Each structure stands twice: as structure tokens, then as C-alpha cells.
Amino acid sequence: MIALIEASSYFQLASLAAMADAGLLPDADERVLVLANGSQVPELTTPLDQVPGFEKLAARFDRVVDFAALAAPRRPSQFNPREDELHIFERLLRSAWDLGSEPLTLVLESVQVNPARALARIFFDAQLWVHSDGLMSYGPTRNRLPMPLRQRLMGTIHVDLVPGLEPHLLAELQPVRKVLRAQQLERIFTELAEEAHFELPGSSALILGQYLGSLRLMDSDEEFELHVQMLQEALDRGLDTVLFKAHPSASATSAARLASVAEQMGLDFRLLDTDHLAETVIASARPEVVISCFSTGLATAKYILNTDVHAAGTGAMLQALAPYENSNRIPLSIIHALFVQGVPAPAHSDGDDQLSKLLVAVAYCMQAAQLPQLREPAAEFLGVHYPEFSAHFKRRRITKLDLPPRWVHLVSRRTFPSRVRGASRRVLRTGSKQLETLSKSLSRLAK
């Protein structure tokens, strides 16, 4: 048995190494790490096999193959073979990766997207495991999986980023859940930090940029204003140094404008140009606070590296994010609830787990057709707690799904079908004419 273990990001490499150390990966005679760079601009980002500490991380596996290099110049996310090409690609990949005719197990990131989905289709009889590293794993499955994939799913392996929170990913299939504890991933960050040297004054903040503009979640001016809010938060805390780290998948843009604003605010602005993970920077530099919008780095900083965090702009983003089923909604709701509203993580909730109940309601509103079993708990939560958590929901969605509370339902101008409305108008016109005739008759009689 050979296990093909796919990684598309540096954070996934670290997570998979921790999963290997913890004995969470499926048993296999040989474990092959498959690199599939998921960057939006891979030509301008560091290849995964060149990131700091790669050799240490890859040592957990028997060998490494580079799917991105094999598929170039096509990006891994663009790899989507036709049905009649699947057997051709199976022969090609088995030959290129020296797999022979051995049975396979695939450990993939989300099977909703390529290349993970393509690999699952190509190796049509392989058992499937899904590993997840970020906050999106707590959200519902985006699209219903076809039966050939559903039948082969064995389970999921996720990082316990929010202590005690259960993921909704693939919940409709009731998979086996394996959990990577925070302490096990912390060891990897500590190991990577041994080769990193980031020194900051004691009164410093780390700002984690996100690629919100690149994802078209906001325009460039709005994203700039969001970063200015983060600078202001550092200033309000009495800090004098800001370390800014752009998201690794973000487009290459100049930070000169932001640096200029920071200088006007009296802040020492330092642009961090490194391939190290944000977590490695935190473990090495130990900033006083980590500031971002809804980056996974806020959860890892708080619950894995015990660092204070601040979330900026989440309230406005919750209302602006569209459509409602956008996959970023669950990470956004989690961060807003935890670090803006002060809702405790499930493991710290003393029996009143509001966060899990909130996410059940959000998940149902996102994918009601796939998760009908969540309707009752969602309705119960909204009926009691909607005023506290209204920022997480859209009135239009609650109205459409006929969920409580009814006082928030939108009143439609099209209350009745058009035929009924048309008939009503005809009745009113007819009745009006009849009243006019009757009135004239009564007038003549009166004379």
C-alpha cells in the first residue's frame, strides 16, 4: 500500500509533518509527499521544496514528488482532465512517480477543488482521506460530492485550531474524525523557529495581511483602509513598532503607501520579506499582539502560541461578504465571535457552547439542502439568540428559509402570485363599476 499525501501550502506541509509525528496519517508501506503549489501566482512565490525547513518537514515521508513541476506550465488548480483521459493520466502518473500497480490511499486537501479532486478521479479505486489545516474545515461542504468519491471517503484529519470545535466539512457523510492537537503542531513551529531570527522591541505588533483584494472581497482602497485600522489598533495599545507580513498568496504590491501612513502616525513600520510562516515569526519574535482581519494566524497565535490577538474589520466584512454561502463566511464568523464578541472556544465554554451552536446555524443557512438535519437546532438557536448574533446572518436568507425570528422577515411586495394579484385587480375594477352604477341609480330614485 502506498499513500499519496498532497500539500498545496507551507502551512499544510507543517500540519502534515505534525500529523505524521502524531500517528494520524493512514498506515502505508510507503508515504509519498505530493507537492502541488496552490499559490494564485506560483511564478512569483517560492516553490514548496525551497521554503525554510523543508528538508526537516519532508523527512517525515519516504520520498517527495512535485506535481506542480510535472504539470507546468499549467497550474495545479487548473488541472482538470476529461473523463476519457483519466486512465491515460493514471498510467502517466504511476509511471512518473514509480507507483507500479500498488494499491493506493490518497490523503488530500479539500476534494471540492483541483488538483485534489482530479487526483481522486484519476486514482478511481483509492481510499480517500481529507486533511484540513485552516478555519474553512469548520464550514460545510461547498458542493455535494459525486457518488464515486462519497463511497471511498474514509475520514478527515483536522487541526484543532479552535479548541473543541467540531468541523462541518463532509459532515453529511459522517466520516471518521481524527484531530491534531495544538501542542503537536506547536512542536513543529518551535522546530522551524530554531532557524529563524526575528528580533523586535517589546512594544511591537505583528500585522498579518490578507489577500482580500485579490479574492475580490473588497477593492484595493478598502483593503488599504482596513490595514490603516490595524495600524491604529497598534497605536491605541501604546505600541511603537509594527511588523507587517503580507499573505503568501497575495499579489506582489508595494507597501510604501502603508509605510508612509505609519510614519505619519509615529510608528516604526517594518515590512517583513520572508518565506517563513507567520507562526514561525510569532514563535521567534514574540510580538505583544497579532492583528489581522480573519486570518487563520489569529487562531494559531491565540490557541497554539499563547499570543494576544485583535481582529479588525470583521463586522463590516460579515455584511459585505456575498453570496451567503461563500466559503470564507465560516472563518469570518469564527474570528468575529471569538475575538470581537468574546465568545469562548468550546473547550473553554464551561458547558455553554455558544460558538458551536452559532456555527450550526450559519452552516445550515449556507447549505440548507445538504444539511437538513441542522434545521431544528439552527431554528432553536436563532429563536433565542438572533439579537446577539444578527451580524452573522442575512435577513433575506432567514426569510427565504422561513427561520425564526419572524419579526426580521422581509415583507415582499410580491406576497401573492401574479395571477392572484391580477385577479384581485379585475375584481376591484368590476366592483368599482358596479358601485358607480348603483350610485347613479340611487341618485335617480332620490329625484
Side-chain angles (χ1 to χ4, degrees), residues 8-9 36-46 48 75-77 248-250:
S8 66
S9 71
N37 192 336
S39 170
Q40 289 189 329
V41 192
E43 299 84 359
L44 302 179
T45 56
T46 303
L48 291 177
R75 299 172 186 173
S77 61
S249 295

Side-chain angles (χ1 to χ4, degrees), residues 186-243:
E186 182 183 10
R187 296 191 192 104
I188 298 294
F189 296 148
T190 302
E191 179 181 323
L192 293 173
E194 292 174 356
E195 298 181 4
H197 303 285
F198 301 99
E199 295 183 2
L200 284 176
S203 59
S204 61
L206 172 64
I207 293 180
L208 301 178
Q210 292 184 257
Y211 57 117
L212 305 178
S214 301
L215 290 177
R216 298 181 181 177
L217 298 181
M218 57 174 55
D219 61 35
S220 58
D221 288 336
E222 290 171 331
E223 189 165 25
F224 174 75
E225 290 300 324
L226 178 60
H227 287 144
V228 171
Q229 288 181 39
M230 297 178 189
L231 293 176
Q232 186 62 49
E233 174 62 24
L235 190 65
D236 292 344
R237 286 173 175 255
L239 307 180
D240 51 31
T241 303
V242 168
L243 190 63

Side-chain angles (χ1 to χ4, degrees), residues 115-303:
R117 188 183 184 92
L119 291 173
R121 292 170 56 227
I122 289 170
F123 299 111
F124 63 95
D125 57 353
Q127 294 182 350
L128 303 179
W129 285 84
V130 173
H131 71 85
S132 50
D133 56 329
L135 294 174
M136 281 190 182
S137 65
Y138 293 112
T141 314
R142 191 185 315 170
N143 301 304
R144 182 180 174 86
L145 291 183
M147 187 57 69
L149 299 187
R150 294 163 64 92
Q151 291 175 325
R152 293 185 283 139
L153 179 70
M154 306 302 294
T156 68
I157 315 169
H158 73 276
V159 181
D160 191 32
L161 292 172
V162 180
L165 187 61
E166 289 289 326
H168 287 287
L169 180 67
L170 300 169
E172 64 275 14
L173 303 181
Q174 300 181 330
V176 173
R177 300 287 194 195
K178 293 186 179 183
V179 185
L180 178 68
R181 300 302 174 190
Q183 298 82 356
Q184 295 165 321
L185 186 53
E186 182 183 10
R187 296 191 192 104
I188 298 294
F189 296 148
T190 302
E191 179 181 323
L192 293 173
E194 292 174 356
E195 298 181 4
H197 303 285
F198 301 99
E199 295 183 2
L200 284 176
S203 59
S204 61
L206 172 64
I207 293 180
L208 301 178
Q210 292 184 257
Y211 57 117
L212 305 178
S214 301
L215 290 177
R216 298 181 181 177
L217 298 181
M218 57 174 55
D219 61 35
S220 58
D221 288 336
E222 290 171 331
E223 189 165 25
F224 174 75
E225 290 300 324
L226 178 60
H227 287 144
V228 171
Q229 288 181 39
M230 297 178 189
L231 293 176
Q232 186 62 49
E233 174 62 24
L235 190 65
D236 292 344
R237 286 173 175 255
L239 307 180
D240 51 31
T241 303
V242 168
L243 190 63
F244 182 79
K245 187 180 190 303
H247 190 281
S249 295
S251 301
T253 57
S254 173
R257 186 181 175 195
L258 193 62
S260 176
V261 172
E263 183 179 356
Q264 294 172 17
M265 298 170 70
L267 291 169
D268 177 11
F269 183 88
R270 306 183 186 185
L271 179 62
L272 183 62
D273 184 14
T274 180
D275 291 322
H276 279 286
L277 290 170
E279 290 77 11
T280 304
V281 176
I282 297 168
S284 175
R286 290 297 173 182
E288 188 168 318
V289 63
V290 177
I291 306 172
S292 190
C293 185
F294 61 99
S295 169
T296 295
L298 291 177
T300 53
K302 177 68 174 181
Y303 298 116

Side-chain angles (χ1 to χ4, degrees), residues 299-375:
T300 53
K302 177 68 174 181
Y303 298 116
I304 298 180
L305 298 171
N306 299 312
T307 303
D308 192 18
V309 302
H310 176 81
T314 53
M317 182 64 72
L318 276 170
Q319 293 305 307
L321 190 64
Y324 191 85
E325 53 270 26
N326 188 304
S327 299
N328 290 290
R329 184 166 299 281
I330 287 289
L332 188 54
S333 280
I334 290 173
I335 295 299
H336 185 77
L338 288 171
F339 305 133
V340 177
Q341 296 181 284
V343 179
H348 308 151
S349 62
D350 297 326
D352 185 20
D353 183 7
Q354 293 292 309
L355 183 62
S356 293
K357 295 175 184 176
L358 167 66
L359 294 188
V360 163
V362 174
Y364 177 73
C365 288
M366 289 176 67
Q367 300 292 346
Q370 291 197 130
L371 299 169
Q373 72 276 14
L374 298 186
R375 180 175 178 84

Side-chain angles (χ1 to χ4, degrees), residues 387-418:
E388 306 161 59
F389 297 101
S390 60
H392 300 266
F393 302 95
K394 297 288 182 70
R395 293 177 62 190
R396 185 181 301 277
R397 183 57 59 109
I398 289 179
T399 303
K400 180 180 179 181
L401 296 175
D402 194 25
L403 289 167
R406 290 196 170 275
W407 57 266
V408 307
H409 284 201
L410 296 173
V411 178
S412 175
R413 294 169 59 188
R414 300 174 64 87
T415 305
F416 300 103
S418 58

